[in-house]
Amino acid sequence: MRKVFQADLQQIGEELIEMANQVATAMDRAWDSLANADVELAQEVIAADAKIDFLQNQLDERAIDTLALQGPVASDLRMIVGSLRMSASLERMGDLARHLAQLARLRFPQPAIPERISTTFAEMAKIDIQIAQAVARLLDTRDLNIAAEIIELNHEVDRLHSSVFARIAEADWDASAPTTVDVSLTSRYLERFGDHGVSVARKVTYLVTGEWDPSDA
Amino acid sequence: MRKVFQADLQQIGEELIEMANQVATAMDRAWDSLANADVELAQEVIAADAKIDFLQNQLDERAIDTLALQGPVASDLRMIVGSLRMSASLERMGDLARHLAQLARLRFPQPAIPERISTTFAEMAKIDIQIAQAVARLLDTRDLNIAAEIIELNHEVDRLHSSVFARIAEADWDASAPTTVDVSLTSRYLERFGDHGVSVARKVTYLVTGEWDPSDA
């Protein structure tokens, strides 16, 4: 039984890594579609999100089967329950990438994001992709230095998110109200993406060290 | 053992109902604090959110202990795993109420929400409170008519959310850019609150009927 259980855990771990890699790709392509008003790419990102949802369902079913058939306890049990939580965070990161692509599609053929703020969002998207890639590496290696790196990267996303709202509050901000809405929501999506990456990092840290950081709200 | 298990399940169910009730109260008070620029009430809502987080942790620990000690299978197992997911949704609803209170605090002594859009948000908040209260009743009774009612209520929240963005796009919208940001984010928080209520409703429906509606993304 033990051997089967280890194989199940291994499989669940690989599926989480696969989800993190797909989520990184989704953010990469979603930002491209938004920055370049590329509606075909946006459609592809939206369609690909269904695959991430499918991966989550598959992983969750496997986790529940493992709970039922192996009845794990202690750290093994926490690992499986943690996997269910991490898959939910990764699925949500996929949704947020999809929201960016949906915005690109909604405003097409106009670009949704004014040029003056585009550099900031490009930077946020770049860091978000790094966060998702780091999550994949963290899940693979359990090297907690990577968890610390993810938290640092997310601080930078938060800083850029605040700078967007500061920019909007400046006297010379003259974008239309709908564009201001698009900019606010885009910033929010990019910021939430990073937060979910941090949730996964904290969960892995907890599973490795047994110590829970309550700042993971 | 069976008797202990039933008592555990009962306790978990009661804690979910308690969370739903606290979340309804949080939204009620958060909206009040935002509508009336009441910074003291806002502080209370922010402080009270820690209690909802505490309830979630308590419930999750109980659920994990139950998995470890009782090794449930089949529908009992799905009930426990479902409880972990529902507690996460309810905790998130609490966060969204807190975000409204934080906005009230940030803009104090100015009101964050312009009067012309306040009626729409008051309506959204009222329906959100009804959703959270309905979630508590659904968890208590498992009457699937209530699940259908929650989905209907959420359609109305979505409709109002769209109307906010339509209103912002009208030619006579002359609020400042930062106010436009506050309005967008408030609308988004109120909309997401309802979505999480629907997630819980779909989860309960699944646990009662065994049929999963994949539209619960």
Side-chain angles (χ1 to χ4, degrees):
Chain A
M1 271 313 233
R2 187 73 202 164
K3 212 164 154 188
V4 176
F5 179 68
Q6 288 305 329
D8 284 345
L9 265 193
Q10 174 84 16
Q11 184 71 33
I12 290 168
E14 279 166 19
E15 284 169 346
L16 284 172
I17 296 167
E18 173 65 17
M19 282 187 80
N21 282 323
Q22 290 207 15
V23 156
T25 302
M27 177 51 78
D28 190 9
R29 290 157 60 85
W31 171 248
D32 258 12
S33 77
L34 190 58
N36 303 313
D38 183 339
V39 74
E40 278 163 37
L41 184 57
Q43 292 284 22
E44 285 175 33
V45 173
I46 294 163
D49 188 47
K51 284 191 214 158
I52 296 174
D53 295 351
F54 176 80
L55 272 178
Q56 187 204 7
N57 281 335
Q58 195 180 45
L59 188 157
D60 288 1
E61 284 306 311
R62 191 185 310 282
I64 290 170
D65 285 351
T66 305
L67 287 173
L69 297 173
Q70 311 285 341
V73 295
S75 67
D76 290 340
L77 171 59
R78 284 186 186 266
M79 189 72 70
I80 307 271
V81 171
S83 300
L84 290 166
R85 295 229 174 89
M86 291 189 276
S87 76
S89 293
L90 290 164
E91 189 270 334
R92 189 72 201 133
M93 290 165 88
D95 286 349
L96 291 162
R98 173 168 51 79
H99 289 342
L100 296 183
Q102 285 170 321
L103 182 60
R105 185 174 66 177
L106 178 69
R107 298 301 179 207
F108 181 81
Q110 300 301 318
I113 303 299
E115 213 174 328
R116 78 191 98 169
I117 204 89
S118 192
T119 320
T120 306
F121 284 152
E123 184 65 19
M124 288 175 83
K126 196 181 94 185
I127 302 173
D128 274 346
I129 297 161
Q130 288 171 354
I131 287 174
Q133 289 168 339
V135 164
R137 288 206 314 281
L138 172 64
L139 287 164
D140 193 22
T141 63
R142 311 214 158 196
D143 172 356
L144 296 188
N145 292 316
I146 302 173
E149 186 190 313
I150 290 166
I151 289 164
E152 270 313 300
L153 287 167
N154 191 50
H155 283 152
E156 184 58 16
V157 174
D158 287 346
R159 197 189 61 74
L160 291 163
H161 179 56
S162 297
S163 83
V164 170
F165 292 145
R167 182 72 192 81
I168 292 174
E170 281 170 17
D172 67 336
W173 180 264
D174 61 359
S176 72
T179 295
T180 303
V181 170
D182 290 347
V183 167
S184 323
L185 292 182
T186 297
S187 197
R188 172 85 182 152
Y189 298 149
L190 291 166
E191 181 243 350
R192 287 295 297 158
F193 187 97
D195 286 347
H196 285 289
V198 167
S199 286
V200 178
R202 290 203 198 279
K203 186 62 66 184
V204 174
T205 304
Y206 168 66
L207 292 172
V208 171
T209 65
E211 279 170 32
W212 184 243
D213 179 346
S215 65
D216 174 33
Chain B
M1 272 314 234
R2 190 69 202 163
K3 211 165 155 186
V4 177
F5 179 67
Q6 288 305 331
D8 285 345
L9 266 192
Q10 173 84 17
Q11 183 71 32
I12 290 168
E14 279 167 19
E15 283 168 346
L16 284 172
I17 296 167
E18 172 66 16
M19 281 186 81
N21 282 324
Q22 290 207 14
V23 156
T25 302
M27 177 51 77
D28 190 9
R29 289 157 59 86
W31 170 249
D32 258 11
S33 77
L34 191 58
N36 303 313
D38 182 340
V39 74
E40 277 163 37
L41 184 56
Q43 292 284 21
E44 284 176 32
V45 173
I46 294 163
D49 188 46
K51 283 192 215 159
I52 296 174
D53 295 351
F54 176 80
L55 272 178
Q56 186 203 8
N57 281 335
Q58 193 180 47
L59 188 157
D60 288 2
E61 285 305 311
R62 190 184 311 281
I64 290 171
D65 285 351
T66 305
L67 287 173
L69 297 173
Q70 312 283 343
V73 295
S75 67
D76 289 341
L77 171 59
R78 285 186 185 267
M79 190 71 71
I80 306 272
V81 171
S83 300
L84 289 167
R85 295 228 174 90
M86 292 189 276
S87 76
S89 293
L90 290 164
E91 188 270 335
R92 190 71 201 133
M93 291 165 88
D95 285 351
L96 291 162
R98 172 168 52 79
H99 289 341
L100 297 183
Q102 284 169 321
L103 182 60
R105 186 174 64 177
L106 178 69
R107 297 301 179 205
F108 181 80
Q110 298 302 317
I113 303 300
E115 211 174 327
R116 79 193 98 166
I117 204 89
S118 191
T119 320
T120 306
F121 285 152
E123 185 63 20
M124 289 175 82
K126 194 182 94 186
I127 302 172
D128 274 346
I129 297 162
Q130 287 171 353
I131 287 174
Q133 289 168 340
V135 164
R137 287 204 317 281
L138 173 64
L139 287 163
D140 192 23
T141 63
R142 310 216 159 193
D143 172 355
L144 296 187
N145 292 317
I146 301 173
E149 185 190 313
I150 290 167
I151 289 164
E152 271 312 301
L153 287 167
N154 190 50
H155 283 154
E156 184 59 16
V157 174
D158 286 347
R159 196 189 62 73
L160 291 163
H161 178 56
S162 298
S163 82
V164 170
F165 293 146
R167 181 72 192 82
I168 292 173
E170 280 170 18
D172 67 335
W173 180 265
D174 61 359
S176 71
T179 296
T180 303
V181 171
D182 291 347
V183 167
S184 323
L185 292 182
T186 298
S187 197
R188 172 83 183 153
Y189 299 149
L190 290 165
E191 182 244 348
R192 287 295 298 157
F193 186 98
D195 286 347
H196 285 289
V198 168
S199 285
V200 178
R202 289 203 199 279
K203 185 62 66 186
V204 174
T205 304
Y206 169 65
L207 292 171
V208 171
T209 65
E211 279 168 30
W212 184 243
D213 178 347
S215 64
D216 173 33

